[in-house]
Amino acid sequence: MKRAIVLGALLLLVGGYHLAVRGGYFHGNASTASESGSLSSHPTVSLAAPDSGDIARAYAAHRSGVQVHGSGIVAKVLKDDEEGSRHQRFILHMDSGQSVLLAHNIDLASRVPDLYAGARVEFEGEYEWNEKGGVVHWTHRDPSGRHPAGWLKVAGAVYR
C-alpha cells in the first residue's frame, strides 16, 4: 500500500511539472561556482539547516510564486524535459518529509553532473503549487535581473 501511494505521488508530481511547463512558469544563463566561488551576493549555503517549512505552508495554502530554500535527498532522477527551455528534473524528498519536483533550467544554468538517487541537494528557488505536491524552479540567475536568483548545491558545488 505504501509503495502504491509513493508511486502515485511521483506520477502526480511529474504530471504537475508538465502542467507548470505548459503554463509558462519557467523562464529565464547561469554558471557553476564552488563553495568559495562568487556567491557573495547570495545567501550563505548551509546543508545543516533544514527546510523552515515554507514549502509545506505554501502547499497547504495553495500558494505559488513563493521564494523557498530547502534541502533533501534525491528520490528519483527523471528524464530531462526537452520541450521549450530544457530542464533537468528530479524528485526531492525534503528534510521536512514532503516531496517536490525540482526543475533546473539547463539552458540557463549548468547541469548537475552525475545526479543520482540518494544525493543530498540544497536549493533556493521559486515554489509553484499544484495538487501533486508542487514544483520548485528558478534555481538559476535571471539574466535580466528581475527575478530573485536561485541555485542548487550538490556535493559542495553550486549550480546557478
Side-chain angles (χ1 to χ4, degrees):
M1 179 67 174
K2 220 177 198 182
R3 186 179 195 148
I5 291 170
V6 170
L7 181 57
L10 287 173
L11 290 172
L12 291 173
L13 283 171
V14 171
Y17 167 76
H18 287 287
L19 287 173
V21 168
R22 286 185 177 80
Y25 291 127
F26 300 105
H27 314 278
N29 188 355
S31 61
T32 303
S34 69
E35 180 75 2
S36 61
S38 59
L39 287 179
S40 58
S41 64
H42 301 286
T44 302
V45 179
S46 169
L47 288 176
D51 171 48
S52 65
D54 292 339
I55 291 177
R57 286 189 295 279
Y59 178 74
H62 296 203
R63 291 187 57 215
S64 290
V66 178
Q67 196 69 19
V68 294
H69 178 163
S71 62
I73 302 295
V74 174
K76 183 172 184 174
V77 177
L78 304 171
K79 182 180 160 198
D80 287 353
D81 177 15
E82 299 285 336
E83 202 172 303
S85 295
R86 297 174 311 133
H87 288 81
Q88 182 178 20
R89 304 174 309 142
F90 56 96
I91 306 292
L92 190 72
H93 185 73
M94 297 181 42
D95 294 340
S96 66
Q98 184 172 350
S99 293
V100 295
L101 174 68
L102 266 84
H104 182 61
N105 188 320
I106 53 177
D107 285 336
L108 296 174
S110 299
R111 165 187 290 286
V112 178
D114 305 319
L115 189 64
Y116 61 93
R120 174 162 281 285
V121 175
E122 186 172 2
F123 64 89
E124 176 86 24
E126 183 178 276
Y127 176 79
E128 298 293 339
W129 182 89
N130 66 41
E131 62 189 25
K132 298 162 183 140
V135 179
V136 174
H137 65 116
W138 277 100
T139 54
H140 55 83
R141 286 184 286 210
D142 177 3
S144 65
R146 292 179 297 212
H147 192 280
W151 43 263
L152 298 176
K153 182 176 180 181
V154 181
V158 177
Y159 304 88
R160 51 186 183 108

